[in-house]
Amino acid sequence: MELKSNTAIFCGRMTKKALTLAGRDGSSLPGKVAQTIDADLLAKLSDGCRCILVTGTNGKTMTTALLVKALEEVYPKVLTNASGANMLQGITSAFLTLKRHERPIAVLEVDEATLPHVAEAVHPEMLVFTNIFRDQADRYGSTEGVLAHLRHGARLAPTATVIANGDLPAFADLRINNPVRYFGTCLQESLPQSASEKEDDFCPQCGAPLSYEQRTYGNLGRYACTECAFKRPPLDFVLEQVDDVSTHHGAGLINGTAVEINTGGFYNLYNALAAFSAARHFGLDAETIARGMRKVVPLAGRQENVDIDGKNATLHLIKNPVGFNQIVNLLALEKEPFSLALLLNDLPADGVDTNWVNEADFEKLVTLTSHRPILIGGRRTDVLKNRLVRAGVAPSDLSLCETMPDMCRAIAQLPTETVHILPTFTALADLRRDLAHEGYLN
């Protein structure tokens, strides 16, 4: 490599070492420093790697983790951005960890708006599209805006195969020249969902309403237009049956293969389906994939368990109405009495527009708490308080925690042994940092 690239690599790695010594994460800043010196560094570092990019509104992190574990059953090294740093600088940071001449398979979680930049740099072999839901309207504008980013990314990598969720109407109308293979569900009946959970369900070709023979959640399912010939495309990979869904486990049948995962909720079976589909297209046999996926444990903030002074606390990242409602459905499966804590921030990584909470099913969530005290924290406790009161919570049942240490102390005083904590992205980072400082997390 030229002097500029070598200097960028050296400075990026030194930044990582300095952050590690300071007890900091260092998942993005090293890449940012290196890119400032050499804007083309990602393309150079990834040259020769077989890259798979995973993107979409929900499920990127878990799908990536499941796919990595499947591939590790066959390949000795799989590079990934396990911390979830999915912007350009975070992905560059991941490649900075490679030794000279090391060219492994790379499975990378990629932010939707960042996909075109990463796809242009790394020339991926495969793109995995999980779903598109309304999310961070201040940043993306609309679901159409997100779809535009994904289409652009695919067009910049014209030889990449797209593994897409065929249950999403927008993905049946991608308008790209890439090879496309679809995954989806073929269940006997629709899953129950609230009115607030349904996304837009209009034909992307003629605008007429869609009719659903079977709906899973949001606007996912087996659909057909009521006016034109548009319908769900034929599926290459199918979740044929669901054998178990609990708070910490999921099992089902995908293309005739029994699959088990150590995370709960139906939405994680979708993530398993996406990972299975990508791994099968990559050439792995089905049993090898299933064996690898069984090794995945809950990730940071995604059903992550923490013992807080004897309380069995579980962290669930929240960020948009559909994802929130799926977590509520998950909590409805909880067999133990539980208490609840919610943390809402409005920083750019969370989405500065907090109006999404008005579309989330807080009413159902409240019915699960049996009038126990609810802890609220983060920058926008005012929004949480108003929304919970409108959902039927008495103001006297809400306990405001002004700081993260206050939240940790309050959790330890809750009346139940089981606690579910629902934070937005930056609130999750703040909470985990404080939990680590107090010795609750490594």
Coordinates of all heavy atoms in Angstrom, one line a residue, residues 137-200:
A137 N -38.0 9.1 11.1 CA -38.5 9.9 10.1 C -37.7 11.1 9.8 O -37.6 11.6 8.7 CB -40.0 10.3 10.4
D138 N -37.1 11.7 10.9 CA -36.3 12.9 10.7 C -35.0 12.6 9.9 O -34.5 13.5 9.2 CB -35.8 13.4 12.1 CG -35.2 12.3 12.9 OD1 -36.0 11.4 13.4 OD2 -34.0 12.3 13.1
R139 N -34.6 11.3 9.8 CA -33.4 11.0 9.1 C -33.7 10.4 7.8 O -33.0 10.7 6.7 CB -32.5 10.0 10.0 CG -31.2 9.6 9.3 CD -30.3 8.9 10.3 NE -29.1 8.4 9.6 CZ -28.8 7.1 9.5 NH1 -29.6 6.2 10.1 NH2 -27.8 6.7 8.9
Y140 N -34.6 9.4 7.7 CA -34.9 8.7 6.5 C -36.0 9.3 5.7 O -36.1 9.1 4.4 CB -35.2 7.3 6.8 CG -34.1 6.5 7.4 CD1 -34.2 5.9 8.6 CD2 -32.9 6.4 6.7 CE1 -33.2 5.2 9.2 CE2 -31.8 5.6 7.3 CZ -32.0 5.0 8.5 OH -31.0 4.3 9.1
G141 N -36.9 10.1 6.3 CA -38.0 10.7 5.6 C -39.2 9.8 5.5 O -40.3 10.1 6.0
S142 N -39.0 8.6 4.9 CA -40.2 7.7 4.7 C -39.6 6.3 4.4 O -38.4 6.2 4.1 CB -41.0 8.2 3.5 OG -40.3 8.2 2.3
T143 N -40.5 5.4 4.3 CA -40.0 4.0 3.9 C -39.6 4.0 2.5 O -38.7 3.3 2.1 CB -41.2 3.0 4.1 OG1 -42.3 3.4 3.4 CG2 -41.5 2.8 5.6
E144 N -40.2 4.9 1.7 CA -39.7 5.0 0.3 C -38.3 5.5 0.2 O -37.5 5.1 -0.7 CB -40.6 6.0 -0.5 CG -42.0 5.4 -0.8 CD -43.0 5.5 0.4 OE1 -42.6 6.2 1.4 OE2 -44.0 4.8 0.4
G145 N -37.9 6.4 1.1 CA -36.6 6.9 1.2 C -35.6 5.8 1.5 O -34.5 5.7 1.0
V146 N -36.0 4.9 2.5 CA -35.1 3.8 2.8 C -35.0 2.9 1.7 O -33.9 2.4 1.3 CB -35.7 3.0 4.1 CG1 -34.8 1.9 4.4 CG2 -35.8 4.0 5.3
L147 N -36.1 2.6 1.0 CA -36.0 1.7 -0.2 C -35.1 2.2 -1.3 O -34.4 1.5 -1.9 CB -37.5 1.5 -0.7 CG -37.6 0.6 -1.9 CD1 -37.1 -0.8 -1.6 CD2 -39.1 0.5 -2.4
A148 N -35.1 3.6 -1.4 CA -34.3 4.2 -2.4 C -32.8 3.9 -2.1 O -32.0 3.7 -3.0 CB -34.5 5.7 -2.5
H149 N -32.4 4.0 -0.8 CA -31.0 3.7 -0.4 C -30.7 2.3 -0.7 O -29.6 2.0 -1.2 CB -30.9 3.9 1.1 CG -30.9 5.4 1.5 ND1 -30.1 6.3 0.9 CD2 -31.6 6.0 2.5 CE1 -30.3 7.5 1.5 NE2 -31.2 7.3 2.4
L150 N -31.6 1.3 -0.5 CA -31.3 -0.1 -0.7 C -31.2 -0.3 -2.2 O -30.3 -1.1 -2.7 CB -32.4 -1.0 -0.1 CG -32.1 -1.4 1.4 CD1 -31.8 -0.2 2.3 CD2 -33.3 -2.2 1.9
R151 N -32.1 0.2 -3.0 CA -32.0 0.1 -4.4 C -30.6 0.6 -5.0 O -30.0 0.0 -5.8 CB -33.1 0.8 -5.1 CG -34.5 0.1 -5.1 CD -35.6 0.9 -5.6 NE -36.8 0.2 -5.7 CZ -38.0 0.8 -5.7 NH1 -38.1 2.1 -5.6 NH2 -39.1 0.1 -5.9
H152 N -30.3 1.8 -4.5 CA -29.0 2.4 -4.9 C -27.8 1.6 -4.6 O -26.9 1.4 -5.4 CB -28.9 3.8 -4.3 CG -27.7 4.6 -4.8 ND1 -27.2 5.7 -4.1 CD2 -27.0 4.5 -5.9 CE1 -26.2 6.2 -4.8 NE2 -26.1 5.5 -5.9
G153 N -27.8 1.0 -3.4 CA -26.7 0.1 -3.0 C -26.6 -1.1 -3.9 O -25.5 -1.5 -4.3
A154 N -27.8 -1.7 -4.2 CA -27.8 -2.9 -5.1 C -27.3 -2.5 -6.5 O -26.5 -3.3 -7.1 CB -29.2 -3.4 -5.1
R155 N -27.7 -1.4 -7.0 CA -27.2 -1.0 -8.3 C -25.7 -0.7 -8.4 O -25.1 -0.8 -9.4 CB -28.0 0.3 -8.8 CG -29.5 -0.1 -9.1 CD -30.4 1.1 -9.2 NE -31.8 0.8 -9.4 CZ -32.8 1.6 -9.2 NH1 -32.6 2.8 -8.6 NH2 -34.0 1.2 -9.4
L156 N -25.2 -0.3 -7.2 CA -23.7 -0.1 -7.2 C -22.9 -1.4 -7.1 O -21.7 -1.4 -7.2 CB -23.4 0.9 -6.0 CG -23.8 2.3 -6.2 CD1 -23.6 3.1 -4.9 CD2 -23.0 3.0 -7.4
A157 N -23.6 -2.5 -6.8 CA -23.0 -3.8 -6.8 C -23.8 -4.7 -7.6 O -24.5 -5.6 -7.2 CB -23.0 -4.3 -5.3
P158 N -23.8 -4.5 -9.0 CA -24.7 -5.2 -9.9 C -24.5 -6.7 -9.9 O -25.5 -7.4 -10.4 CB -24.4 -4.5 -11.2 CG -23.0 -4.0 -11.1 CD -22.9 -3.6 -9.7
T159 N -23.4 -7.2 -9.5 CA -23.2 -8.7 -9.6 C -23.6 -9.4 -8.3 O -23.6 -10.6 -8.2 CB -21.7 -9.0 -9.9 OG1 -20.9 -8.5 -8.9 CG2 -21.3 -8.4 -11.2
A160 N -23.9 -8.6 -7.2 CA -24.2 -9.1 -5.9 C -25.6 -9.7 -6.0 O -26.6 -9.1 -6.5 CB -24.2 -8.1 -4.9
T161 N -25.8 -10.9 -5.4 CA -27.1 -11.5 -5.3 C -27.8 -10.9 -4.1 O -27.2 -10.7 -3.0 CB -27.0 -13.0 -5.0 OG1 -26.5 -13.6 -6.2 CG2 -28.4 -13.6 -4.8
V162 N -29.1 -10.5 -4.2 CA -29.9 -9.9 -3.2 C -30.7 -11.0 -2.6 O -31.5 -11.7 -3.3 CB -30.8 -8.8 -3.7 CG1 -31.7 -8.3 -2.6 CG2 -29.9 -7.6 -4.2
I163 N -30.6 -11.2 -1.2 CA -31.4 -12.1 -0.5 C -32.4 -11.3 0.2 O -32.1 -10.6 1.2 CB -30.6 -13.0 0.5 CG1 -29.4 -13.7 -0.2 CG2 -31.5 -14.0 1.2 CD1 -29.8 -14.7 -1.2
A164 N -33.7 -11.3 -0.2 CA -34.7 -10.3 0.3 C -35.9 -11.0 0.9 O -36.3 -12.1 0.5 CB -35.1 -9.4 -0.9
N165 N -36.5 -10.3 1.8 CA -37.7 -10.7 2.5 C -38.9 -10.6 1.5 O -39.4 -9.5 1.3 CB -37.9 -9.9 3.8 CG -39.0 -10.4 4.6 OD1 -39.9 -11.2 4.2 ND2 -39.1 -10.0 5.9
G166 N -39.3 -11.7 1.0 CA -40.4 -11.7 0.0 C -41.8 -11.4 0.7 O -42.7 -11.1 0.0
D167 N -41.8 -11.5 2.0 CA -43.1 -11.1 2.7 C -43.4 -9.6 2.8 O -44.4 -9.2 3.2 CB -43.0 -11.7 4.1 CG -43.3 -13.2 4.2 OD1 -43.5 -13.8 3.1 OD2 -43.2 -13.7 5.3
L168 N -42.4 -8.8 2.4 CA -42.5 -7.4 2.4 C -42.9 -6.9 0.9 O -42.1 -7.1 0.0 CB -41.2 -6.7 2.8 CG -41.3 -5.2 2.9 CD1 -42.0 -4.8 4.2 CD2 -40.0 -4.5 2.9
P169 N -44.0 -6.3 0.7 CA -44.4 -5.9 -0.6 C -43.4 -5.1 -1.4 O -43.2 -5.3 -2.6 CB -45.7 -5.1 -0.4 CG -46.3 -5.7 0.9 CD -45.1 -6.0 1.7
A170 N -42.7 -4.1 -0.6 CA -41.8 -3.3 -1.3 C -40.6 -4.1 -1.9 O -40.1 -3.7 -3.0 CB -41.2 -2.2 -0.3
F171 N -40.2 -5.2 -1.3 CA -39.1 -6.0 -1.9 C -39.5 -6.8 -3.0 O -38.7 -7.3 -3.8 CB -38.5 -6.8 -0.8 CG -37.7 -6.1 0.3 CD1 -37.4 -6.7 1.5 CD2 -37.3 -4.8 0.1 CE1 -36.6 -6.0 2.4 CE2 -36.6 -4.1 1.0 CZ -36.2 -4.7 2.2
A172 N -40.8 -7.0 -3.3 CA -41.3 -7.7 -4.5 C -41.3 -6.8 -5.7 O -41.6 -7.2 -6.8 CB -42.7 -8.2 -4.2
D173 N -40.9 -5.5 -5.4 CA -40.9 -4.5 -6.5 C -39.6 -3.7 -6.4 O -39.6 -2.5 -6.4 CB -42.1 -3.6 -6.3 CG -42.3 -2.6 -7.5 OD1 -42.2 -3.0 -8.6 OD2 -42.5 -1.4 -7.2
L174 N -38.5 -4.4 -6.4 CA -37.2 -3.8 -6.1 C -36.7 -2.9 -7.3 O -35.9 -2.0 -7.2 CB -36.1 -4.8 -5.8 CG -36.2 -5.3 -4.3 CD1 -35.2 -6.5 -4.1 CD2 -35.8 -4.2 -3.4
R175 N -37.0 -3.4 -8.5 CA -36.6 -2.6 -9.8 C -35.1 -2.5 -9.9 O -34.5 -1.4 -10.1 CB -37.3 -1.3 -9.8 CG -38.8 -1.3 -9.7 CD -39.4 0.1 -9.6 NE -40.8 0.0 -9.1 CZ -41.5 1.1 -8.9 NH1 -41.0 2.3 -9.1 NH2 -42.7 0.9 -8.4
I176 N -34.4 -3.6 -9.7 CA -33.0 -3.7 -9.8 C -32.7 -4.9 -10.8 O -33.5 -5.7 -11.1 CB -32.3 -4.0 -8.5 CG1 -32.8 -5.2 -7.8 CG2 -32.4 -2.7 -7.6 CD1 -32.2 -5.6 -6.5
N177 N -31.4 -4.9 -11.3 CA -31.0 -5.9 -12.2 C -30.3 -7.0 -11.6 O -29.9 -8.0 -12.2 CB -30.2 -5.3 -13.4 CG -31.0 -4.4 -14.2 OD1 -32.1 -4.6 -14.5 ND2 -30.4 -3.3 -14.7
N178 N -30.0 -6.9 -10.3 CA -29.3 -8.0 -9.5 C -30.1 -9.3 -9.5 O -31.3 -9.2 -9.6 CB -29.1 -7.5 -8.1 CG -28.3 -6.2 -8.0 OD1 -28.8 -5.2 -8.4 ND2 -27.2 -6.3 -7.3
P179 N -29.4 -10.4 -9.4 CA -30.1 -11.6 -9.1 C -30.8 -11.5 -7.7 O -30.2 -11.0 -6.8 CB -29.0 -12.7 -9.0 CG -27.8 -12.1 -9.7 CD -28.0 -10.6 -9.5
V180 N -32.0 -11.9 -7.6 CA -32.8 -11.8 -6.3 C -33.3 -13.2 -5.9 O -33.9 -13.9 -6.7 CB -33.9 -10.8 -6.4 CG1 -34.6 -10.7 -5.0 CG2 -33.4 -9.4 -6.8
R181 N -33.1 -13.6 -4.7 CA -33.7 -14.8 -4.1 C -34.5 -14.3 -2.9 O -34.1 -13.5 -2.1 CB -32.7 -15.8 -3.7 CG -31.8 -16.2 -4.9 CD -30.9 -17.4 -4.6 NE -31.7 -18.7 -4.5 CZ -31.2 -19.8 -4.2 NH1 -30.0 -20.0 -3.7 NH2 -32.0 -20.9 -4.2
Y182 N -35.7 -14.9 -2.7 CA -36.6 -14.5 -1.7 C -36.8 -15.5 -0.5 O -36.8 -16.7 -0.8 CB -38.0 -14.2 -2.3 CG -38.0 -12.9 -3.1 CD1 -38.1 -13.0 -4.5 CD2 -38.0 -11.7 -2.5 CE1 -38.1 -11.8 -5.2 CE2 -38.1 -10.5 -3.2 CZ -38.1 -10.6 -4.6 OH -38.2 -9.4 -5.3
F183 N -36.9 -15.0 0.7 CA -37.3 -15.8 1.8 C -38.6 -15.3 2.3 O -39.0 -14.1 2.1 CB -36.2 -15.8 2.9 CG -35.9 -14.5 3.5 CD1 -36.7 -14.0 4.6 CD2 -34.9 -13.7 3.1 CE1 -36.4 -12.8 5.2 CE2 -34.6 -12.5 3.7 CZ -35.3 -12.0 4.7
G184 N -39.3 -16.2 3.0 CA -40.6 -15.7 3.6 C -41.3 -16.8 4.4 O -40.7 -17.9 4.6
T185 N -42.5 -16.6 4.8 CA -43.2 -17.6 5.6 C -44.4 -18.2 4.8 O -44.9 -17.7 3.9 CB -43.8 -16.9 6.8 OG1 -44.7 -15.8 6.4 CG2 -42.7 -16.3 7.7
C186 N -44.7 -19.5 5.3 CA -45.8 -20.2 4.7 C -46.5 -20.9 5.9 O -46.4 -22.1 6.1 CB -45.4 -21.2 3.6 SG -46.8 -21.9 2.8
L187 N -47.2 -20.1 6.7 CA -47.8 -20.6 7.9 C -49.3 -20.8 7.7 O -49.9 -20.2 6.7 CB -47.6 -19.6 9.1 CG -46.1 -19.2 9.4 CD1 -46.0 -18.2 10.5 CD2 -45.3 -20.5 9.7
Q188 N -49.9 -21.5 8.5 CA -51.3 -21.9 8.3 C -52.3 -20.7 8.6 O -53.3 -20.6 8.0 CB -51.7 -23.0 9.2 CG -51.0 -24.3 8.9 CD -51.2 -24.8 7.5 OE1 -52.4 -24.8 7.0 NE2 -50.2 -25.1 6.7
E189 N -51.9 -19.8 9.5 CA -52.8 -18.7 9.8 C -52.0 -17.5 10.2 O -50.8 -17.5 10.5 CB -53.7 -19.1 10.9 CG -53.1 -19.5 12.2 CD -54.0 -20.1 13.2 OE1 -55.0 -20.7 12.8 OE2 -53.8 -19.8 14.4
S190 N -52.7 -16.3 10.2 CA -52.0 -15.1 10.6 C -51.7 -15.0 12.1 O -52.4 -15.7 12.9 CB -52.9 -13.9 10.2 OG -53.0 -13.8 8.8
L191 N -50.7 -14.3 12.5 CA -50.4 -14.0 13.9 C -51.3 -12.9 14.4 O -51.5 -11.9 13.6 CB -48.9 -13.8 14.1 CG -48.0 -14.8 13.6 CD1 -46.5 -14.4 13.8 CD2 -48.2 -16.2 14.3
P192 N -51.7 -12.9 15.6 CA -52.5 -11.8 16.1 C -51.7 -10.5 16.2 O -50.5 -10.6 16.5 CB -52.9 -12.3 17.6 CG -51.8 -13.3 17.9 CD -51.5 -14.0 16.6
Q193 N -52.3 -9.4 15.9 CA -51.6 -8.1 16.0 C -52.6 -7.0 16.2 O -53.8 -7.1 15.9 CB -50.8 -7.8 14.7 CG -51.6 -7.8 13.4 CD -50.7 -7.5 12.2 OE1 -51.2 -7.1 11.2 NE2 -49.4 -7.7 12.3
S194 N -52.1 -5.9 16.8 CA -53.0 -4.8 17.1 C -53.1 -3.9 15.9 O -52.3 -4.0 15.0 CB -52.4 -4.0 18.3 OG -51.1 -3.4 17.9
A195 N -54.1 -3.1 15.9 CA -54.3 -2.2 14.8 C -53.1 -1.2 14.6 O -52.8 -0.9 13.5 CB -55.6 -1.4 15.0
S196 N -52.5 -0.8 15.7 CA -51.3 0.1 15.6 C -50.1 -0.6 15.0 O -49.2 0.1 14.5 CB -51.0 0.6 16.9 OG -50.5 -0.4 17.8
E197 N -50.1 -1.9 14.9 CA -48.9 -2.6 14.4 C -48.9 -2.7 12.9 O -47.8 -2.9 12.3 CB -49.0 -4.1 15.0 CG -47.7 -4.8 14.8 CD -47.7 -6.2 15.5 OE1 -48.5 -6.3 16.5 OE2 -46.9 -7.0 15.1
K198 N -50.0 -2.5 12.2 CA -50.0 -2.6 10.8 C -49.4 -1.5 10.1 O -49.7 -0.3 10.4 CB -51.5 -2.8 10.3 CG -52.1 -4.1 10.8 CD -53.6 -4.3 10.4 CE -54.2 -5.5 10.9 NZ -55.6 -5.7 10.5
E199 N -48.5 -1.8 9.1 CA -47.9 -0.7 8.3 C -48.7 -0.5 7.1 O -49.8 -1.1 6.9 CB -46.5 -1.2 7.9 CG -45.5 -1.4 9.1 CD -44.8 0.0 9.5 OE1 -44.1 0.5 8.6 OE2 -45.0 0.4 10.6
D200 N -48.2 0.4 6.2 CA -49.0 0.7 5.0 C -49.1 -0.6 4.2 O -48.1 -1.4 4.0 CB -48.2 1.7 4.1 CG -48.2 3.1 4.8 OD1 -49.1 3.3 5.7 OD2 -47.3 3.9 4.5

